[in-house]
Amino acid sequence: MIKRIIGLSILLTMGGALLLSFTTKEKVDFSSYSTAGLDLYYIAPNFSEIEDDSAFFSPELGKSYVGFKEAVAFKESRGDYGVVNQFGYMGKYQFGKGTLALIGVKNVSKNQFLRNPELQEKAFYANLSRNKWVLRRDIKWFAGKRMNGVEVTESGILAAAHLAGPGAVKRYLRTGGVEGFADAFGTTIRYYMKRFGGYDTSFVVANRRAKAVL
């Protein structure tokens, strides 16, 4: 019995020595595979959020206010003043009746609104002005920060408010992007912040009582 134990011990010792003899002395360097400092946040976009060659950007207008409003209009309606979508949103900037009422556009029929480009342009500015007042603190607090992999800018906030309303944008920002929103087509606040970020919207004056007056 003792001989068997001694023999087994010798075999184990020899096996261990053989294994150690095959161990490489070179230490593998994994530093080149490090993800430190990389922005790994990624959200798979909805089909309505996939960027393509039809995304509007004018080299002449650049990142100006006019460039901003025309880019938003192109996304909303391809810039068509007379369009109404299947949910009843109207015009170049796709306004709902509730939003129009907030900025003083009342007692105006659908056809009157669709045939009046000047009123639609004033409605867009008035809505931006009101939203900028509602979100003035959030613009101050969050502009320049990154949220869900996207830099927050004033123009991105205002575009998102046009999509979702200022209340939804405020909740999105103050929850760190946790409480999101998607419209009936699946378009999100994050997408609008990304697509319309970096425009100069300093032209828009914050006004709590902004109205679209001809």
Side-chain angles (χ1 to χ4, degrees):
M1 183 67 180
I2 295 175
K3 289 182 178 180
R4 290 182 181 177
I5 294 174
I6 294 173
L8 182 59
S9 299
I10 292 171
L11 286 174
L12 290 173
T13 303
M14 291 177 65
L18 286 171
L19 287 173
L20 289 173
S21 67
F22 289 108
T23 303
T24 179
K25 294 181 180 180
E26 295 183 6
K27 188 177 181 181
V28 179
D29 182 12
F30 293 103
S31 62
S32 60
Y33 299 97
S34 174
T35 59
L38 298 178
D39 184 1
L40 300 178
Y41 191 94
Y42 180 76
I43 294 178
N46 297 313
F47 286 112
S48 62
E49 297 184 354
I50 297 174
E51 295 284 0
D52 54 35
D53 293 335
S54 66
F56 176 89
F57 180 79
S58 167
E60 293 79 17
L61 299 176
K63 290 288 187 174
S64 67
Y65 167 73
V66 177
F68 168 74
K69 75 182 187 68
E70 292 304 322
V72 172
F74 188 81
K75 176 64 175 70
E76 293 288 340
S77 70
R78 294 298 190 267
D80 187 346
Y81 286 107
V83 71
V84 179
N85 75 5
Q86 62 263 51
F87 302 105
Y89 290 90
M90 304 179 292
K92 181 178 178 180
Y93 302 102
Q94 293 292 276
F95 280 106
K97 291 182 179 180
T99 299
L100 290 175
L102 286 174
I103 53 177
V105 181
K106 302 175 182 178
N107 302 319
V108 176
S109 70
K110 178 178 72 175
N111 288 336
Q112 287 175 323
F113 183 75
L114 295 175
R115 294 172 182 171
N116 196 330
E118 184 181 359
L119 179 58
Q120 292 189 36
E121 294 296 339
K122 286 185 177 293
F124 181 72
Y125 178 83
N127 191 48
L128 284 180
S129 182
R130 181 180 178 276
N131 287 341
K132 189 170 182 177
W133 185 89
V134 174
L135 293 163
R136 63 196 185 284
R137 293 189 181 91
D138 300 272
I139 292 170
K140 181 179 179 180
W141 293 339
F142 296 104
K145 297 182 179 179
R146 293 187 72 81
M147 192 170 295
N148 288 340
V150 175
E151 182 180 356
V152 179
T153 64
E154 179 179 291
S155 63
I157 290 174
L158 293 179
H162 181 80
L163 170 75
V169 175
K170 185 178 292 189
R171 289 190 295 273
Y172 176 86
L173 292 170
R174 296 187 184 188
T175 61
V178 173
E179 188 169 334
F181 167 91
D183 71 1
F185 297 104
T187 308
T188 62
I189 287 174
R190 177 187 178 274
Y191 174 67
Y192 259 48
M193 284 195 176
K194 179 181 179 181
R195 182 160 182 170
F196 301 110
Y199 285 88
D200 181 6
T201 49
S202 59
F203 174 78
V204 180
V205 178
N207 182 358
R208 180 183 182 182
R209 298 182 177 85
K211 304 294 181 185
V213 179
L214 291 176

